[in-house]
């Protein structure tokens, strides 16, 4: 997959539209990930209708609000818009973590031919080795939602298989094997702190019956009792 874009400039769909323009940046962003190439146009009514669904799909798999760990998934918008203004307008409907090719980049049309895009919208799903996993995943995303990513992940044989949805984590009583150790550690530390506080209070004569009794004995020795 990296080979497809190693000499290209990918743009982030954030406010500053930061560019990934070095080989290292491209590799770090795309390596060992499933890539969704989203071919669409603002002039396409079906694309407009599908965009919110795709956006929610991607967010539920990559946004920290929904998952404890982001899926190994990249969304790249391949604009087939008729103008840069149309492209900018359509990008507002897509997640900020989405990437895209600049409107003036002719590689957009090359990719359209390369993957034989005949209808819009089209979502071509690629394995990390650039081979096609799903020629057009639009219907799959509409019908299965985030469940289809699990199928892709298994078929793509990604190295890291530790991704879980929040709901999967909530079904478990503990989030990690070290939780009981941490809890015991903090409990012991709390007990030590309490004991230290109690010792200080006794030393000041202000804590418990022993402190009061000590004060009484001191008063008797100093002649503070009855003269008779």
């Amino acid at each position: 997959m990296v080979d497809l874009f190693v000499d290209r400039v990918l743009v982030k769909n954030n406010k500053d539209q930061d560019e990934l323009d070095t080989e290292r940046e491209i590799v770090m962003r795309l390596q060992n990930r499933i890539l969704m190439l989203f071919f669409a146009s603002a002039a396409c009514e079906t694309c407009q209708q599908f965009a919110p669904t795709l956006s929610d799909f991607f967010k539920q798999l990559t946004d920290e609000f929904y998952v404890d760990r982001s899926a190994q998934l990249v969304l790249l918008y391949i604009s087939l818009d008729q103008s840069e203004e149309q492209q900018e307008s359509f990008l507002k409907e897509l997640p900020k973590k989405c990437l895209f090719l600049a409107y003036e980049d002719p590689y957009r049309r090359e990719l359209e031919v390369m993957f034989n895009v005949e209808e819009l919208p089209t979502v071509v799903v690629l394995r990390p080795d650039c081979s096609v996993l799903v020629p057009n995943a639009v219907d799959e995303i509409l019908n299965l939602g985030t469940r289809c990513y699990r199928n892709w992940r298994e078929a793509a044989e990604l190295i890291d298989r530790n991704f879980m949805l929040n709901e999967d984590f909530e079904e478990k009583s503990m989030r990690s094997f070290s939780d009981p150790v941490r809890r015991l550690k903090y409990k012991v530390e709390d007990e030590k702190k309490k004991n230290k506080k109690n010792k200080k209070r006794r030393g000041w004569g202000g804590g418990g019956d022993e402190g009061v009794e000590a004060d009484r004995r001191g008063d008797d020795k100093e002649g503070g009792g009855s003269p008779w």
Side-chain angles (χ1 to χ4, degrees):
M1 180 194 307
V2 175
D3 294 340
L4 277 176
F5 300 99
V6 73
D7 294 324
R8 301 292 168 177
V9 176
L10 300 181
V11 187
K12 295 181 180 180
N13 190 31
N14 55 18
K15 182 179 179 181
D16 297 326
Q17 295 195 342
D18 300 317
E19 295 182 348
L20 304 177
D21 56 2
T22 67
E23 182 176 349
R24 183 177 183 278
E25 289 176 324
I26 298 294
V27 170
M28 291 292 291
R29 190 69 182 88
L30 301 183
Q31 192 174 42
N32 193 40
R33 285 175 170 81
I34 292 172
L35 176 61
M36 294 190 298
L37 299 180
F38 178 38
F39 294 87
S41 168
C44 168
E45 184 176 348
T46 309
C47 296
Q48 293 280 4
Q49 295 172 350
F50 177 67
T53 300
L54 178 63
S55 182
D56 288 343
F57 171 85
F58 186 70
K59 286 179 181 178
Q60 288 178 34
L61 289 166
T62 60
D63 195 302
E64 292 79 4
F65 181 80
Y66 298 99
V67 292
D68 289 304
R69 187 175 183 182
S70 176
Q72 293 164 262
L73 189 66
V74 176
L75 176 60
L76 177 59
Y77 175 52
I78 310 298
S79 166
L80 299 182
D81 294 295
Q82 301 302 314
S83 68
E84 188 171 3
E85 289 73 22
Q86 282 187 343
Q87 174 173 307
E88 290 298 324
S89 174
F90 196 73
L91 283 169
K92 294 177 182 178
E93 305 299 321
L94 300 178
K96 288 182 172 57
K97 289 185 178 181
C98 170
L99 302 176
F100 65 94
L101 290 171
Y103 181 77
E104 61 271 13
D105 192 339
Y107 196 48
R108 298 182 298 113
R109 295 295 177 177
E110 293 180 35
L111 289 170
E112 179 186 11
V113 175
M114 186 185 304
F115 293 103
N116 194 29
V117 176
E118 297 180 348
E119 61 178 342
L120 297 180
T122 289
V123 177
V124 180
V125 182
L126 301 178
R127 296 182 179 89
D129 64 0
C130 297
S131 61
V132 176
L133 186 61
V134 184
N136 190 357
V138 170
D139 289 339
E140 197 171 343
I141 292 171
L142 288 171
N143 295 327
L144 296 179
T146 55
R147 287 177 295 169
C148 63
Y149 169 74
R150 302 184 183 190
N151 299 333
W152 301 347
R153 182 188 61 196
E154 292 298 322
E157 298 181 349
L158 297 179
I159 294 175
D160 189 353
R161 298 174 181 269
N162 292 325
F163 171 78
M164 295 182 72
L165 294 175
N166 260 339
E167 60 190 19
D168 295 329
F169 275 88
E170 290 170 358
E171 290 175 0
K172 297 182 180 295
S173 59
M174 294 182 298
R175 287 183 175 266
S176 72
F177 292 111
S178 60
D179 272 355
V181 178
R182 287 200 301 270
R183 290 172 185 171
L184 179 60
K185 174 186 174 184
Y186 295 143
K187 183 177 180 181
V188 171
E189 289 178 351
D190 288 342
E191 290 296 329
K192 288 181 179 179
K193 290 179 181 178
K194 289 180 182 178
N195 291 336
K196 286 182 179 179
K197 288 182 179 179
N198 289 336
K199 288 181 180 179
K200 288 181 179 179
R201 287 174 180 172
R202 294 191 188 101
W204 295 334
D209 295 336
E210 293 179 5
V212 174
E213 187 63 30
D215 289 342
R216 288 175 179 172
R217 288 198 298 269
D219 290 341
D220 291 341
K221 289 180 180 180
E222 294 174 4
S226 170
W228 308 107

